[in-house]
Every structure is written in structure tokens, then in C-alpha cells.
Amino acid sequence: MVFLGFSAGLPFLLVFSTLSAWLRDVGVELSVIGFFSWVGVTYSVKFFWAPVVDTLPLPWLTKCIGKRRSWMLLAQLGIAAGLVGMASADVESQLQWIAIFAVWVAFCSSTQDIVIDAYRIEAVVVEYQGAMAAMYVLGYRIALLVAGAGAFYLAEYFGWAIAYQLMAACMLVGVVATLIIDEPLPNEDQEARKLARRVEAAFGVAGPRNWMARLGAWFSDAVLSPFVEFFTRNGKFGLMILVLIATYKMSDITMGVMANPFYLDIGFSKKEIADISKIFGFFMTIAGASIGGVLVARYGIMKPLLLGAVMAAATNLLFVLLAVSEPSLVLLAGAVSADNLSGGIATAVFIAYLSSMTSTAYTATQYALFSSLMTLPAKLLGGFSGIVVEHYGYEWFFVYSASVGLPAIVLVLVLMRRYARVNIQSPSLKKRD
């Protein structure tokens, strides 16, 4: 899982913030860089093709190494090929090809995420899922360090094309791991099958199966059943929970689009950015995640969830000070430390919240839907970040990125009041208590 987590984490920054730094470093306009952030929308809509990955065997390859491993290997080779394509294109004259290859890498990467999640759930019994997830996160974070600081160091000394070629070679870690592991045996969930049949009957797609009925049944099982279960369990507050999921990370993701271009524009070198933003920030994120886990264990989910939302928005204001001051490594280290610490806390707590909202009957499907909803609105909004910077400057952009976190704070307060009034908790917290 460490190696698969590494394989999953490596492409993410290479089509997001590291790509933004590359484009800015060669003089691409900020408005264009902002639109490039929409490449990340691919990760937010992966649930659309998740049922295809889950059910469709690949010719020959599935027979040789199994369904999960065949899709995993195909996705990894696709990522490597896309990164080589990005490295081979000329940024000044072939920017459209950079965009096309970036979308391809994001598509293959999100497909790999789907398969690795399914593998993790099917490979071991429930008692070991926590250990599997922990090792996955460790590998993922190491990959972010390599694709962030590592790519910056390589670009500083050898250029961006060489950096991306070497990142493509790093995908061999995932390929080798895929070839070594065993194909897991899928587990049948009888309760989920019963609910799926009831939903099929309710929407009139049960019974004799011609091709239209089979298509309708597929849509019912893959999309409708998880939503029906969620709203049945949460009632009218289900919609408010979904809005909270859609807005909670909005401040953090919106700010992240312009972070690296901001560092470069105010005068820091790529090496200085790598030293502070990537390496030092990496350890602060791990520290924040650990603190978030302790807070959830000590105080439950809702209070730390509120703290994370407030901190994620408030720390964006520290970058206003950095924007109006002379370049200072001390100020940069302070702002990055606070931002990554708050981001680690918010991420750990929010994952716990999403897990508490997920039914064990639809763990993979609902979590994929939640994680997609978590990033899609923020990434769409982040596409306009460059326009905000060009019209109002970096200082007002950071005020704006902090303000978009206010809806999440309000929603957490409303849900806290709701839970206190009716004295309810999520099912997973009841079991833990």
C-alpha cells in the first residue's frame, strides 16, 4: 500500500500546483494558469466511470492478472505516457498539447484511484483497513514530496522537461507493485444487493432484461441506490450535509491554485520554494493530521470540524501580509507552516467526518461521491483565481480565498446546533463511544 499510495499521489501535483509553477516560470499568463486548474475537475467526476472500471474486464489482460490489477496497470502506464507527452511538448508553441496531456494524466490518475480504493477494500478483512489506509496515506505524502520539492529541484538544475521525464520514470514504483501483489477476492454484500433490487423496482427497471432494462438497472445500482440510502438515513439534513462537503475545502483549494505562482512572482527562487513550501510544509501537514486525529478522539468530530474550517480560512489572511511585505524567508516559513498545519488538521477531521457519513453497505461508492463533491465546486471556482489576481492583486485574492470558506463555517455551526438539539451523533461515533 505504501508503493500504491506513492503511485496514486505522484501525478496529482504534476497536473496541479507543480504544473502551475512550470507555466508561470516560462511566462504563461496568470489567467491561463487559472484555467489550467480545471484539469483537476477530472478527479471530481471520477464516479461517472467508476462503475465501468468496477465491472468491465479488459481483453486478455484481465485473464492474465485479474480485474483490479489489469485496470491498475493500464492506468499507471497511461500516466507515465502522459507525463512523457507533457515533457515532450513545447510550452510556448504547443500549450494546447500540454493541456491535452494534462487532462489525460488526470483521467488515468483518477482511474487508478478508483482501482486502488477497490483493491484496498477487497484485499484484507475489516480489522486491517485502518492499517491499509495509513500506509496508503504515507506513500501518497511521500509522492507529493517527490512531485513537489523533487520536481522543483530537478527543474532548477535540469529544466522542466527533464523533471517531468523523471517523474514518468517514477511511475515504475506503482507498476512493479501491481505486478507483485495478488489479485483480491471480491466480497459480496447481501444487504446492498437487496437495497439495489428495491431501488430497481421503484424506478421500474426490474424484471425482464433487454438492453434498455440492463442499462437502467446499471444506472440504478451505480448512482441511485447510494443516494437513496444516504437520504433515507439523514432525511432533510442530507442536503445540508452535501453542501457542507462541497464547501469545506473551497478556501484551501482556491488558494492553492495561485500559491506557487505567487511565491515566484514576489521573488523567491524555485529552490527556496522547494525548501520551505514543499519539505517544511510536508512535515507540518503530517503534524496537523496527527493533531486532527487526537482532537477527534478527544472531542468527537463536530468541534474539531469547526476548528478546521476556521483555521483553513483564517490562515489564508497570513498571505496578505506576505503579499504586502518585502520578500522574507521567515515570513514565508511562518505563513506556509500555519497553512499546512491548519490544512492537516482540517483534512484529518474532514476525512473522519466523511467516513462517519458513509454507509458500510456502499462504502466505496458513497466515499467516491463524497470525495468528488468535496473538490468539484472548489476546482471550478479556482479556475477564476488568475482573473481575480490580475484585476485586484494578490493581497485581495487571499482575502477572497479566505471569504469563500465562510459558508462552511456557518454550515458546521448549523449542524452542530442540530445535533445538540436532537442529541444525535453519526452511527460510527456511537459505535466508537
Side-chain angles (χ1 to χ4, degrees), residues 50-74:
V52 176
V53 176
D54 197 34
T55 58
L56 183 66
L58 294 173
W60 183 78
L61 196 58
T62 296
K63 291 183 179 180
C64 292
I65 61 175
K67 182 171 64 175
R68 299 304 184 198
R69 296 167 67 210
S70 61
W71 275 103
M72 206 179 296
L73 180 62
L74 181 65

Side-chain angles (χ1 to χ4, degrees), residues 341-365:
L341 185 69
S342 64
I345 293 173
T347 298
V349 176
F350 196 50
I351 288 175
Y353 180 72
L354 292 182
S355 299
S356 73
M357 290 293 105
T358 303
S359 167
T360 55
Y362 294 101
T363 304
T365 303

Side-chain angles (χ1 to χ4, degrees), residues 245-259:
I245 293 172
T247 58
Y248 192 81
K249 298 286 288 182
M250 191 169 287
S251 178
D252 191 32
I253 294 176
T254 301
M255 180 267 182
V257 175
M258 286 293 134

